[in-house]
């Protein structure tokens, strides 16, 4: 420390020993240095929840919270379903407080202070919601290459809520219940052709489509018919008509004839009397409820009829309709074969059997334009089946 003194004319500078307040300051500084040194090395005491805590320079609550006896005061992770402990210490961490206030986790702790601990709290595991779409289950009945959809299935949608840690199922609900589809398999080929009783030698042809309506194929067939100005006859299953009311009404609106092909496509000759009557009555009622008009024509599933079926149809004032030409599209023989078989070299009226449902009908759709073209080239007129029964 330098001091300037004036003694007469001579001015000189001299170094003095520390004394008085400067000494005290120096001592304090020395103590501070020692204190800081201690603080940096061994630490100075503070208290934490009544216990001694050695606080070093730069010690933060984060450091303290790692101490075992503090960590034990963490909350637990609980299951959402029953609040059981999933993970000890999996809740929120405890916090350090000073005079009741939280000390930020990155703030430096100071010696000689009395800190407290605020325990952590339990956390309930989060939940996750999973939406699943389940394909419609399909039940196959019988055996054989001919498949007829008796009832369309429907995809189901379920919503399940899980505990995201425990995997517990908290709730599971079908928001759209799946519906089982039913497909009847039968031996190839229709058993009989009971004939359309087509009269005359006029060049008339009636294209008929069985087993629909089917949202996969019927619209494509309707478009081809419309593009070509052709009216056709659709022998619908009443179960499908009920499932597809708009499509059924569209068939009517576009000028085609709706006819009855039973309710569930069973072999009618195998039904008990009451069931046989019910099959006719219920299918007629169902189709009428969709289109507004009960059909006048009926084609037996598989073309199989007997005296009982014929008699019941007559009681219901239904005209049984068979076919003259089987396109065999049901066996999926290839588009070219379907065209060939659907257009045999014959004169006079004929009813052609085709399908717009009951399996994969892409070949039928693909064959239709050529079938129409072939009949047109031969000078045929396209009619609906009622034309043959006037
Ligand atoms: Zn059929």
């Amino acid at each position: 420390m330098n001091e300037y003194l004036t003694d007469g004319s001579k001015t000189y500078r001299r170094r003095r020993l520390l004394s008085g307040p400067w000494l005290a300051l120096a001592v304090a500084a020395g103590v501070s240095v020692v204190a800081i040194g201690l603080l940096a090395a061994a630490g100075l005491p503070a208290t934490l929840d009544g216990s001694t805590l050695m606080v070093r320079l730069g010690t933060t609550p984060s450091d303290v919270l790692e101490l075992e006896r503090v960590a034990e005061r963490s909350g637990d992770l609980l299951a959402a379903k029953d609040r059981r402990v999933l993970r000890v210490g999996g809740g929120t961490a405890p916090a350090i407080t000073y005079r009741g206030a939280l000390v930020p986790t990155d703030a430096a702790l100071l010696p000689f202070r009395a800190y407290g601990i605020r325990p952590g709290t339990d956390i309930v595991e989060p939940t996750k919601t999973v939406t699943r779409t389940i394909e419609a289950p399909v039940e196959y009945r019988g055996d054989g290459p001919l498949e007829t959809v008796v009832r369309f299935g429907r995809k189901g949608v379920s919503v399940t809520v899980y505990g995201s840690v425990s995997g517990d199922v908290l709730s599971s609900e079908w928001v759209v219940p799946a519906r089982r589809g039913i497909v009847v398999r039968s031996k190839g080929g229709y058993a009989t052709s009971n004939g359309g009783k087509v009269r005359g030698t006029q060049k008339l042809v009636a294209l008929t489509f069985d087993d629909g309506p089917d949202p996969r194929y019927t619209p494509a067939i309707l478009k081809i018919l419309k593009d070509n100005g052709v009216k056709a006859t659709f022998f619908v299953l009443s179960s499908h008509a009920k499932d597809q009311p708009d499509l059924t009404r569209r068939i009517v609106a576009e000028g085609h004839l709706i006819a009855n092909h039973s309710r569930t496509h069973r072999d009618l000759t195998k039904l008990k009397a009451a069931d046989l009557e019910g099959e006719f009555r219920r299918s007629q009622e169902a189709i009428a409820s969709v289109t507004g008009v009960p059909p006048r024509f009926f084609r037996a599933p598989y073309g199989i009829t007997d005296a009982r079926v014929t008699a019941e149809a007559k009681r219901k004032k239904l005209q049984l309709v068979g076919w003259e030409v089987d396109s065999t599209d049901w066996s999926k023989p290839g588009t070219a074969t379907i065209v060939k078989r659907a257009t045999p070299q014959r004169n006079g009226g004929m009813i052609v059997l085709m399908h717009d449902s009951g399996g994969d009908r892409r070949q039928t759709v693909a064959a239709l334009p050529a079938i129409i073209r072939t009949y047109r080239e031969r000078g045929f007129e396209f009619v609906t089946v009622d034309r043959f029964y006037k």
Side-chain angles (χ1 to χ4, degrees):
M1 188 167 287
N2 296 320
E3 204 163 312
Y4 293 89
L5 299 171
T6 302
D7 181 14
S9 60
K10 192 177 178 188
T11 300
Y12 61 95
R13 199 163 67 170
R14 103 183 154 152
R15 188 172 292 271
R16 286 180 58 180
L17 288 171
L18 291 176
S19 65
W22 297 111
L23 181 63
L25 195 62
V27 169
V31 168
S32 296
V33 167
V34 171
I36 289 167
L38 278 171
L39 203 56
L44 288 169
T47 64
L48 179 64
D49 203 26
S51 307
T52 302
L53 172 76
M54 295 310 282
V55 175
R56 293 186 298 172
L57 187 66
T59 297
T60 64
S62 292
D63 303 325
V64 174
L65 291 173
E66 287 172 10
L67 300 175
E68 198 173 315
R69 65 197 165 88
V70 179
E72 280 173 7
R73 313 269 298 258
S74 289
D76 297 328
L77 181 67
L78 306 181
K81 188 179 183 181
D82 54 10
R83 299 296 191 266
R84 71 184 187 282
V85 175
L86 293 175
R87 196 158 65 224
V88 173
T92 63
I96 304 295
T97 59
Y98 180 62
R99 289 180 175 165
L102 282 181
V103 180
T105 52
D106 57 351
L109 295 178
L110 298 172
F112 313 118
R113 281 187 170 179
Y115 292 103
I117 298 177
R118 183 177 297 174
T121 54
D122 294 341
I123 293 178
V124 176
E125 63 173 331
T127 59
K128 62 179 176 190
T129 300
V130 178
T131 300
R132 282 197 193 83
T133 302
I134 312 229
E135 289 299 317
V138 180
E139 178 189 330
Y140 291 95
R141 295 177 181 167
D143 191 27
L146 176 60
E147 292 188 347
T148 303
V149 180
V150 171
R151 189 172 80 170
F152 286 114
R154 184 178 58 202
K155 285 181 181 176
V157 179
S158 73
V159 173
T160 305
V161 180
Y162 294 94
S164 63
V165 177
S166 64
D168 292 345
V169 174
L170 278 84
S171 68
S172 189
E173 185 188 4
W174 287 98
V175 289
V176 178
R179 193 176 75 161
R180 196 163 41 97
I182 299 173
V183 174
V184 172
R185 285 176 167 153
S186 54
K187 292 225 164 60
Y190 283 62
T192 63
S193 167
N194 62 343
K197 297 189 170 56
V198 178
R199 290 182 291 256
T201 54
Q202 263 184 294
K203 287 189 167 186
L204 300 178
V205 60
L207 300 181
T208 65
F209 297 93
D210 285 14
D211 300 353
D214 187 319
R216 295 166 297 179
Y217 307 109
T218 309
I221 288 171
L222 286 173
K223 180 171 190 314
I224 295 168
L225 294 174
K226 191 180 218 171
D227 290 347
N228 289 277
V230 171
K231 304 299 183 209
T233 305
F234 290 80
F235 286 91
V236 302
L237 293 180
S238 68
S239 54
H240 290 185
K242 274 173 76 175
D243 276 349
Q244 305 289 331
D246 291 339
L247 188 51
T248 306
R249 285 190 282 266
R250 182 180 154 195
I251 294 171
V252 177
E254 296 188 4
H256 306 291
L257 183 65
I258 293 275
N260 188 342
H261 191 39
S262 85
R263 189 169 63 91
T264 54
H265 212 278
R266 285 186 289 177
D267 179 349
L268 301 181
T269 63
K270 299 220 167 79
L271 297 182
K272 289 183 289 187
D275 292 339
L276 179 62
E277 192 279 334
E279 187 73 20
F280 274 99
R281 178 173 40 77
R282 292 173 66 185
S283 58
Q284 283 292 93
E285 286 171 358
I287 296 169
S289 76
V290 173
T291 64
V293 186
R296 288 172 48 219
F297 299 92
F298 186 92
R299 177 176 282 160
Y302 317 104
I304 304 172
T305 59
D306 61 9
R308 288 163 63 240
V309 173
T310 308
E312 192 58 48
K314 199 165 191 174
R315 271 195 287 279
K316 294 289 187 286
K317 296 187 167 52
L318 277 164
Q319 172 66 53
L320 286 174
V321 177
W323 58 86
E324 278 69 45
V325 175
D326 184 352
S327 70
T328 71
D329 64 340
W330 51 267
S331 68
K332 292 177 265 189
T335 302
T337 303
I338 293 173
V339 173
K340 190 159 170 268
R341 289 178 180 164
T343 57
Q345 288 282 0
R346 283 170 55 174
N347 287 318
M350 61 184 89
I351 294 175
V352 181
L353 174 67
M354 301 175 77
H355 296 80
D356 61 336
S357 188
D360 184 336
R361 295 289 166 250
R362 285 178 291 183
Q363 291 184 7
T364 304
V365 173
L368 186 55
I371 293 170
I372 293 171
R373 194 164 56 243
T374 303
Y375 277 111
R376 279 258 158 82
E377 285 167 3
R378 293 180 192 164
F380 275 79
E381 180 190 348
F382 290 97
V383 297
T384 49
V385 297
D386 52 330
R387 180 75 173 265
F388 293 124
Y389 296 93
K390 277 174 179 161

mmCIF file of all heavy atoms in Angstrom, residues 213 240-251 289-291:
data_model
loop_
_atom_site.group_PDB
_atom_site.id
_atom_site.type_symbol
_atom_site.label_atom_id
_atom_site.label_comp_id
_atom_site.label_asym_id
_atom_site.label_seq_id
_atom_site.Cartn_x
_atom_site.Cartn_y
_atom_site.Cartn_z
ATOM 1 N N PRO A 213 -77.719 -57.335 -54.468
ATOM 2 C CA PRO A 213 -76.676 -56.428 -54.953
ATOM 3 C C PRO A 213 -75.426 -56.471 -54.078
ATOM 4 O O PRO A 213 -75.497 -56.764 -52.901
ATOM 5 C CB PRO A 213 -77.335 -55.048 -54.891
ATOM 6 C CG PRO A 213 -78.474 -55.175 -53.954
ATOM 7 C CD PRO A 213 -78.864 -56.613 -53.900
ATOM 8 N N HIS A 240 -79.347 -59.082 -48.968
ATOM 9 C CA HIS A 240 -78.455 -58.083 -49.552
ATOM 10 C C HIS A 240 -79.203 -56.789 -49.868
ATOM 11 O O HIS A 240 -78.647 -55.699 -49.727
ATOM 12 C CB HIS A 240 -77.819 -58.624 -50.836
ATOM 13 C CG HIS A 240 -76.817 -59.707 -50.562
ATOM 14 N ND1 HIS A 240 -76.052 -60.266 -51.551
ATOM 15 C CD2 HIS A 240 -76.461 -60.325 -49.415
ATOM 16 C CE1 HIS A 240 -75.259 -61.200 -51.025
ATOM 17 N NE2 HIS A 240 -75.502 -61.247 -49.722
ATOM 18 N N ALA A 241 -80.449 -56.925 -50.308
ATOM 19 C CA ALA A 241 -81.239 -55.726 -50.607
ATOM 20 C C ALA A 241 -81.396 -54.879 -49.356
ATOM 21 O O ALA A 241 -81.321 -53.647 -49.393
ATOM 22 C CB ALA A 241 -82.605 -56.120 -51.162
ATOM 23 N N LYS A 242 -81.574 -55.556 -48.211
ATOM 24 C CA LYS A 242 -81.710 -54.817 -46.948
ATOM 25 C C LYS A 242 -80.388 -54.168 -46.544
ATOM 26 O O LYS A 242 -80.362 -53.073 -46.006
ATOM 27 C CB LYS A 242 -82.176 -55.766 -45.825
ATOM 28 C CG LYS A 242 -83.683 -55.914 -45.791
ATOM 29 C CD LYS A 242 -84.123 -56.967 -44.803
ATOM 30 C CE LYS A 242 -84.035 -56.498 -43.360
ATOM 31 N NZ LYS A 242 -84.585 -57.518 -42.434
ATOM 32 N N ASP A 243 -79.297 -54.882 -46.829
ATOM 33 C CA ASP A 243 -77.967 -54.321 -46.510
ATOM 34 C C ASP A 243 -77.612 -53.164 -47.430
ATOM 35 O O ASP A 243 -76.833 -52.288 -47.056
ATOM 36 C CB ASP A 243 -76.885 -55.407 -46.691
ATOM 37 C CG ASP A 243 -76.760 -56.282 -45.461
ATOM 38 O OD1 ASP A 243 -77.344 -55.923 -44.428
ATOM 39 O OD2 ASP A 243 -76.086 -57.325 -45.544
ATOM 40 N N GLN A 244 -78.111 -53.212 -48.663
ATOM 41 C CA GLN A 244 -77.729 -52.227 -49.683
ATOM 42 C C GLN A 244 -78.979 -51.554 -50.249
ATOM 43 O O GLN A 244 -79.245 -51.630 -51.459
ATOM 44 C CB GLN A 244 -76.963 -52.919 -50.829
ATOM 45 C CG GLN A 244 -75.743 -53.707 -50.388
ATOM 46 C CD GLN A 244 -74.622 -52.791 -49.945
ATOM 47 O OE1 GLN A 244 -74.511 -51.664 -50.415
ATOM 48 N NE2 GLN A 244 -73.802 -53.258 -49.015
ATOM 49 N N PRO A 245 -79.726 -50.867 -49.412
ATOM 50 C CA PRO A 245 -80.992 -50.307 -49.907
ATOM 51 C C PRO A 245 -80.781 -49.263 -51.000
ATOM 52 O O PRO A 245 -81.548 -49.235 -51.976
ATOM 53 C CB PRO A 245 -81.634 -49.697 -48.653
ATOM 54 C CG PRO A 245 -80.503 -49.491 -47.692
ATOM 55 C CD PRO A 245 -79.517 -50.585 -47.974
ATOM 56 N N ASP A 246 -79.752 -48.433 -50.861
ATOM 57 C CA ASP A 246 -79.539 -47.392 -51.874
ATOM 58 C C ASP A 246 -79.159 -48.000 -53.214
ATOM 59 O O ASP A 246 -79.635 -47.567 -54.265
ATOM 60 C CB ASP A 246 -78.446 -46.416 -51.417
ATOM 61 C CG ASP A 246 -78.905 -45.575 -50.228
ATOM 62 O OD1 ASP A 246 -80.140 -45.463 -50.039
ATOM 63 O OD2 ASP A 246 -78.043 -45.062 -49.497
ATOM 64 N N LEU A 247 -78.310 -49.003 -53.162
ATOM 65 C CA LEU A 247 -77.889 -49.670 -54.396
ATOM 66 C C LEU A 247 -79.079 -50.386 -55.036
ATOM 67 O O LEU A 247 -79.237 -50.385 -56.259
ATOM 68 C CB LEU A 247 -76.754 -50.648 -54.069
ATOM 69 C CG LEU A 247 -76.022 -51.321 -55.214
ATOM 70 C CD1 LEU A 247 -75.546 -50.309 -56.254
ATOM 71 C CD2 LEU A 247 -74.836 -52.126 -54.666
ATOM 72 N N THR A 248 -79.915 -50.986 -54.202
ATOM 73 C CA THR A 248 -81.106 -51.683 -54.715
ATOM 74 C C THR A 248 -82.039 -50.686 -55.402
ATOM 75 O O THR A 248 -82.541 -50.940 -56.517
ATOM 76 C CB THR A 248 -81.840 -52.385 -53.560
ATOM 77 O OG1 THR A 248 -80.916 -53.232 -52.868
ATOM 78 C CG2 THR A 248 -83.008 -53.216 -54.081
ATOM 79 N N ARG A 249 -82.234 -49.557 -54.765
ATOM 80 C CA ARG A 249 -83.128 -48.544 -55.367
ATOM 81 C C ARG A 249 -82.498 -47.937 -56.625
ATOM 82 O O ARG A 249 -83.206 -47.563 -57.554
ATOM 83 C CB ARG A 249 -83.431 -47.446 -54.336
ATOM 84 C CG ARG A 249 -84.423 -47.919 -53.276
ATOM 85 C CD ARG A 249 -84.912 -46.760 -52.403
ATOM 86 N NE ARG A 249 -83.946 -46.387 -51.401
ATOM 87 C CZ ARG A 249 -83.935 -46.855 -50.136
ATOM 88 N NH1 ARG A 249 -84.856 -47.727 -49.750
ATOM 89 N NH2 ARG A 249 -83.033 -46.466 -49.286
ATOM 90 N N ARG A 250 -81.178 -47.888 -56.639
ATOM 91 C CA ARG A 250 -80.506 -47.364 -57.841
ATOM 92 C C ARG A 250 -80.752 -48.295 -59.027
ATOM 93 O O ARG A 250 -80.934 -47.830 -60.159
ATOM 94 C CB ARG A 250 -79.003 -47.229 -57.560
ATOM 95 C CG ARG A 250 -78.246 -46.640 -58.728
ATOM 96 C CD ARG A 250 -76.763 -46.513 -58.428
ATOM 97 N NE ARG A 250 -76.000 -46.557 -59.670
ATOM 98 C CZ ARG A 250 -74.696 -46.756 -59.736
ATOM 99 N NH1 ARG A 250 -73.996 -46.918 -58.626
ATOM 100 N NH2 ARG A 250 -74.075 -46.791 -60.902
ATOM 101 N N ILE A 251 -80.752 -49.601 -58.775
ATOM 102 C CA ILE A 251 -81.023 -50.571 -59.844
ATOM 103 C C ILE A 251 -82.391 -50.277 -60.468
ATOM 104 O O ILE A 251 -82.541 -50.224 -61.690
ATOM 105 C CB ILE A 251 -80.970 -52.018 -59.295
ATOM 106 C CG1 ILE A 251 -79.540 -52.369 -58.852
ATOM 107 C CG2 ILE A 251 -81.485 -53.012 -60.332
ATOM 108 C CD1 ILE A 251 -79.432 -53.685 -58.091
ATOM 109 N N SER A 289 -90.025 -53.601 -48.975
ATOM 110 C CA SER A 289 -89.775 -52.499 -48.040
ATOM 111 C C SER A 289 -88.665 -51.584 -48.552
ATOM 112 O O SER A 289 -88.611 -50.412 -48.196
ATOM 113 C CB SER A 289 -89.414 -53.046 -46.654
ATOM 114 O OG SER A 289 -88.085 -53.529 -46.645
ATOM 115 N N VAL A 290 -87.804 -52.117 -49.404
ATOM 116 C CA VAL A 290 -86.713 -51.300 -49.952
ATOM 117 C C VAL A 290 -87.132 -50.604 -51.240
ATOM 118 O O VAL A 290 -86.873 -49.417 -51.430
ATOM 119 C CB VAL A 290 -85.454 -52.178 -50.207
ATOM 120 C CG1 VAL A 290 -84.372 -51.381 -50.932
ATOM 121 C CG2 VAL A 290 -84.920 -52.734 -48.894
ATOM 122 N N THR A 291 -87.794 -51.336 -52.111
ATOM 123 C CA THR A 291 -88.126 -50.772 -53.429
ATOM 124 C C THR A 291 -89.541 -50.219 -53.487
ATOM 125 O O THR A 291 -89.869 -49.463 -54.403
ATOM 126 C CB THR A 291 -88.015 -51.852 -54.527
ATOM 127 O OG1 THR A 291 -89.009 -52.869 -54.280
ATOM 128 C CG2 THR A 291 -86.633 -52.492 -54.544
#
